[in-house]
Amino acid sequence: MPNSATPAFDLTAGRSDTLGAEFLGEGTNFALFSDNATRVELCLFDETGGQELARLDLPEMEGGVWFGYLPGIRPGQVYGYRVHGPHAPEQGHRFNPSKLLLDPYARELRGQIHWDDALHGYVIGQDDQSLDTRDSAPFMPKGVVVDAAFDWDSDRALRHHWTQTVIYEAHVKGLTRLHPDVPAQDRGTFRGLASDAMIDHLHRLGVTTLELLPVHAFANDRYLVEKGLANYWGYSTLSFFAPHAPYLQSGRIREVKQTVRRLHAAGIEVVLDVVYNHTCEGNELGPTLSFRGIDNASYYLLSPEDPRHSFDTTGTGNTLNVAHPMVLRLVMDSLRYWVQAMHVDGFRFDLASTLGREAQGFERDGSFFNAIRQDPVLSGVKLIAEPWDVGEGGYQVGGYRWPFREWNDQFRDDVRAFWRRDPGQLPALAERLAGSPVQFDHSHRPASSSVNFLAAHDGFTLMDTVSFNEKHNQANGEENRDGHDHNLSDNLGAEGATDDPAIQAARLRRIRAMLATLLLSQGVPMILAGDEIGHSQQGNNNAYCQDNQISWIDWARGGGDIHGALAALIRFRQETGLAQARFLTAEAKPRATWLHPEGREMAQTDWDDAELRCLAMLVEWDQSRILVLINAGEDAQFALPQGEWRLCIDTSADEISCNRPVRGSIALPWQTVMALRR
């Protein structure tokens, strides 16, 4: 393939210290880690990625890093790799130079995966130890050399304090795909996120932080594509640096930077949901797209008994070997890139327990967590763990060290159970209102360690929690077997949508009470995008493959009753300073006192009363006092502490925000939360 126009490496300028394709002004340095390779070929393509123009052996290798500097290679150059080495699946080695491989450090991609049997390193239909020699390049996306220059116009990290943080979990496409006020060409893209309509909406709610489902380039799994479905959520990472191309209206990474800059100017942080625990290549029967062909035995955990097989703690087929120093470096480089080059404000780590797995199992002081804690760049951004995986000992809620915060599914479950009127839920509810100290009040962790939520992308939406008793996942094509059955939901009299005004009113009343519980609790509240307008997924609690109206937010619903209530609750939380950095205790300030409807402190017999569904939390600090009254039972009369109080929040009222003086006692209707100040 080489010809007279083939570029030649400058052997005096190559660098092994920076991985990926780095444009240096007059040319580009290429570097790839593969400890077990015997030869690495750099493949250059035309601008479409359709024609391979040249193959050049990377001329140097140090410490497993293959590298070389090519003069004249500028931004826009499309490229990939072919890696030579032993084909010995029984030893964990699956090198196959017939397969074009994506650079793990590629910043931008050209093209997409076109599923074909040639993408597999073995012959489909035969043993996985066979060797498929067909060229996979026609079916592969390629990397693109980029110019990192961008005018950030004094943009900087916002660093909203955790006690003032309100998170809004959203999907880049689903958030704006159906929004009538977002320009049509921008709907479903990064540009749509930063549109005037979306920023105005987030401002009206009072959201401080936008948490995005995966935006790293990901694969639409073959089995889904063949069923006419898609990997909508994006938890199937192909590249840890390049954004998912379909989310780019312009096709260029500048769009991500422009979006972050505009959101920052509006005071809104951007947090990314990231997947460093596995990749889209699956187990040994999966395709060879990148890591498997570059160095399978280094990048993935393999079975210690039989390295031919993957070691899976994620339920996806493979597990990234973060304990390997160069794989750890890959993850750290990716995180720093998104902070330093793309200006994001933090990360939510999918299946974070996998990242802490060492030889003896999960280690809260594992190499990954310690690397982040000491990193001067990463230790200062928002870090949120999904504190579980599917492996043994993987459920670790409360098991992480500062500065990590954690998704708290126990908050979701206990609050749902309480408002469903399950018996004996008062002790659990009090624990959640106080910030879950049993889980998080240790190791000098703050009261903001718990990320509280009622609904997230995985599971029922908030509206579906009060509209369905059972999951309805038939659209996923798995005969409703997928998705969990522990929904703690209650349809309040009809399964799904109904025209019954009494049921509709009861559902809205419960939603408002549940949202009040969320916003009046210690910890960090997270809202699922669309819950503020009553978005329903028609009872689908596992809509990972539904890239359609099931998942896209239908803004025509309006949802004024919920939206206004949520905005008022956020405003009350922020203005009163209810969220505290220190855990509430009965002895010191901030102090929490639990009150019975009779006005006295709760006794043990009260906590043991399985049918009691009404209590109050009195929070005191400095000169401030806030009283939160909660009633999931029948109408009640609540005796107030002495003095004049002002009723500020009443979820049973048409307008929940109020300012009414009260003293002595107050009527507390069924399914109601009230907040009072003094």
Side-chain angles (χ1 to χ4, degrees):
M1 183 170 297
N3 54 52
S4 58
T6 299
F9 287 101
D10 180 347
L11 300 181
T12 68
R15 297 174 52 182
S16 61
D17 59 315
T18 302
L19 294 165
E22 184 180 16
F23 175 61
L24 299 175
E26 299 297 332
T28 300
N29 191 80
F30 294 89
L32 179 76
F33 171 75
S34 178
D35 201 34
N36 294 293
T38 58
R39 177 185 168 200
V40 175
E41 292 180 291
L42 171 66
C43 304
L44 303 179
F45 291 81
D46 67 1
E47 63 180 8
T48 69
Q51 182 180 358
E52 189 172 344
L53 303 176
R55 293 189 194 180
L56 305 94
D57 280 19
L58 289 180
E60 300 182 80
M61 190 273 281
E62 295 176 358
V65 177
W66 302 76
F67 63 99
Y69 174 80
L70 271 182
I73 300 299
R74 305 187 62 80
Q77 176 64 59
V78 181
Y79 72 102
Y81 290 109
R82 299 179 188 274
V83 182
H84 299 253
H87 177 71
E90 71 284 356
Q91 299 174 28
H93 300 309
R94 295 183 178 272
F95 294 98
N96 186 341
S98 299
K99 309 306 168 185
L100 186 79
L101 305 173
L102 183 66
D103 179 6
Y105 280 75
R107 268 54 169 179
E108 188 175 295
L109 304 187
R110 185 69 46 83
Q112 57 186 345
I113 296 174
H114 297 281
W115 288 113
D116 187 273
D117 288 352
L119 291 170
H120 291 259
Y122 66 97
V123 179
I124 294 291
Q126 297 185 20
D127 191 279
D128 67 276
Q129 297 180 94
S130 62
L131 185 68
D132 187 306
T133 59
R134 289 175 291 179
D135 183 9
S136 66
F139 314 105
M140 274 291 297
K142 286 83 176 176
V144 181
V145 177
V146 301
D147 186 350
F150 183 77
D151 181 8
W152 281 102
D153 193 25
S154 301
D155 179 83
R156 59 182 179 83
L158 296 177
R159 303 287 176 91
H160 291 312
H161 196 280
W162 279 108
T163 58
Q164 293 294 305
T165 297
V166 178
I167 299 173
Y168 186 83
E169 189 200 27
H171 187 282
V172 172
K173 182 175 183 179
L175 184 63
T176 64
R177 182 63 179 80
L178 299 178
H179 202 301
D181 296 327
V182 173
Q185 69 274 14
D186 296 339
R187 295 173 191 166
T189 70
F190 275 97
R191 282 186 179 171
L193 288 181
S195 64
D196 290 341
M198 283 315 310
I199 289 176
D200 289 346
H201 177 75
L202 297 177
H203 277 171
R204 288 195 303 272
L205 275 181
V207 166
T208 68
T209 306
L210 183 62
E211 181 179 308
L212 299 175
L213 267 68
V215 303
H216 289 169
F218 60 85
N220 275 317
D221 307 82
R222 186 173 187 175
Y223 79 95
L224 291 175
V225 172
E226 291 176 347
K227 291 197 302 183
L229 300 171
N231 190 321
Y232 175 68
W233 287 348
Y235 293 95
S236 190
T237 307
L238 174 65
S239 171
F240 296 128
F241 289 81
H244 192 55
Y247 295 165
L248 301 174
Q249 193 273 344
S250 64
R252 297 292 179 263
I253 63 171
R254 289 179 58 85
E255 185 176 327
V256 180
K257 298 179 180 181
Q258 291 164 344
T259 295
V260 172
R261 183 177 62 187
R262 194 155 196 268
L263 288 168
H264 280 182
I268 299 168
E269 294 177 310
V270 179
V271 169
L272 302 184
D273 193 336
V274 289
V275 187
Y276 294 111
N277 56 78
H278 72 279
T279 77
C280 64
E281 290 185 302
N283 64 19
E284 63 274 5
L285 299 179
T288 297
L289 308 172
S290 183
F291 303 100
R292 173 163 291 126
I294 294 171
D295 192 348
N296 187 61
S298 292
Y299 285 96
Y300 292 122
L301 285 179
L302 304 179
S303 168
E305 292 81 21
D306 186 357
R308 171 185 168 190
H309 301 291
S310 300
F311 187 77
D312 180 17
T313 65
T314 65
T316 63
N318 65 50
T319 304
L320 207 66
N321 184 17
V322 179
H324 189 292
M326 292 302 288
V327 181
L328 176 60
R329 176 180 170 180
L330 167 73
V331 174
M332 298 294 288
D333 285 348
S334 169
L335 291 169
R336 280 189 293 264
Y337 171 77
W338 283 94
V339 171
Q340 294 177 309
M342 309 297 271
H343 283 210
V344 304
D345 301 279
F347 306 95
R348 179 265 191 188
F349 295 90
D350 177 64
L351 300 182
S353 292
T354 294
L355 301 173
R357 288 195 174 273
E358 305 280 331
Q360 302 303 316
F362 174 81
E363 288 287 346
R364 64 201 298 248
D365 292 316
S367 56
F368 170 76
F369 299 127
N370 284 342
I372 285 188
R373 292 180 71 201
Q374 63 77 44
D375 190 282
V377 173
L378 300 177
S379 60
V381 302
K382 283 185 162 62
L383 302 170
I384 303 170
E386 182 186 36
W388 51 76
D389 65 16
V390 301
E392 183 178 354
Y395 187 78
Q396 291 290 332
V397 172
Y400 291 73
R401 289 195 185 275
W402 178 91
F404 279 86
R405 271 63 178 177
E406 303 175 36
W407 270 27
N408 187 356
D409 62 331
Q410 294 184 31
F411 182 96
R412 175 199 63 198
D413 291 353
D414 289 343
V415 172
R416 286 188 181 188
F418 174 79
W419 286 107
R420 195 174 65 169
R421 303 182 63 171
D422 290 5
Q425 293 300 311
L426 270 190
L429 180 72
E431 174 77 11
R432 304 309 158 212
L433 286 167
S436 302
V438 170
Q439 283 74 31
F440 299 104
D441 190 6
H442 62 81
S443 308
H444 309 296
R445 300 188 73 181
S448 59
S449 295
S450 174
V451 175
N452 303 325
F453 61 99
L454 301 168
H457 68 273
D458 186 1
F460 276 160
T461 67
L462 187 54
M463 177 58 76
D464 286 355
T465 300
V466 299
S467 302
F468 294 91
N469 285 343
E470 308 292 339
K471 66 185 181 184
H472 296 268
N473 297 356
Q474 289 82 359
N476 296 354
E478 299 179 41
E479 299 179 350
N480 207 34
R481 295 190 301 267
D482 64 305
H484 59 80
D485 297 309
H486 187 63
N487 296 298
L488 294 167
S489 59
D490 177 12
N491 67 22
L492 290 166
E495 189 72 355
T498 178
D499 293 328
D500 187 319
I503 295 176
Q504 290 178 339
R507 287 175 177 175
L508 285 174
R509 188 156 179 164
R510 182 170 291 182
I511 284 174
R512 286 150 65 102
M514 293 174 74
L515 286 171
T517 309
L518 174 68
L519 271 299
L520 298 175
S521 293
Q522 299 300 308
V524 180
M526 184 183 80
I527 301 152
L528 175 64
D531 278 352
E532 74 273 25
I533 61 169
H535 174 64
S536 171
Q537 293 178 168
Q538 303 167 34
N540 192 321
N541 75 349
N542 189 34
Y544 77 102
C545 56
Q546 300 298 327
D547 188 2
N548 50 46
Q549 283 85 353
I550 290 176
S551 297
W552 302 340
I553 295 173
D554 180 8
W555 294 96
R557 292 182 64 93
D561 287 334
I562 303 173
H563 183 283
L566 179 56
L569 287 163
I570 293 174
R571 186 166 57 251
F572 178 82
R573 177 187 178 89
Q574 305 289 46
E575 290 177 352
T576 60
L578 175 62
Q580 294 288 298
R582 295 182 179 180
F583 281 96
L584 305 181
T585 67
E587 293 78 25
K589 294 184 179 179
R591 181 169 63 200
T593 306
W594 303 99
L595 303 179
H596 186 274
E598 295 175 356
R600 56 179 171 80
E601 289 194 33
M602 291 279 287
Q604 188 58 51
T605 54
D606 300 322
W607 293 115
D608 294 338
D609 184 353
E611 297 307 314
L612 183 62
R613 295 182 173 86
C614 181
L615 90 167
M617 176 181 70
L618 175 61
V619 182
E620 301 173 272
W621 73 98
D622 299 330
Q623 302 301 312
S624 299
R625 287 174 175 79
I626 293 178
L627 183 66
V628 178
L629 310 179
I630 295 181
N631 182 23
E634 303 303 320
D635 291 354
Q637 194 74 18
F638 209 107
L640 301 175
Q642 289 185 346
E644 182 173 282
W645 294 82
R646 301 200 75 81
L647 177 63
C648 301
I649 296 291
D650 178 1
T651 63
S652 67
D654 291 338
E655 294 288 337
I656 77 167
S657 182
C658 49
N659 186 22
R660 178 164 60 89
V662 291
R663 63 169 57 239
S665 67
I666 191 169
L668 187 59
W670 63 280
Q671 300 275 295
T672 295
V673 175
M674 292 182 176
L676 300 89
R677 297 184 69 180
R678 192 176 72 188

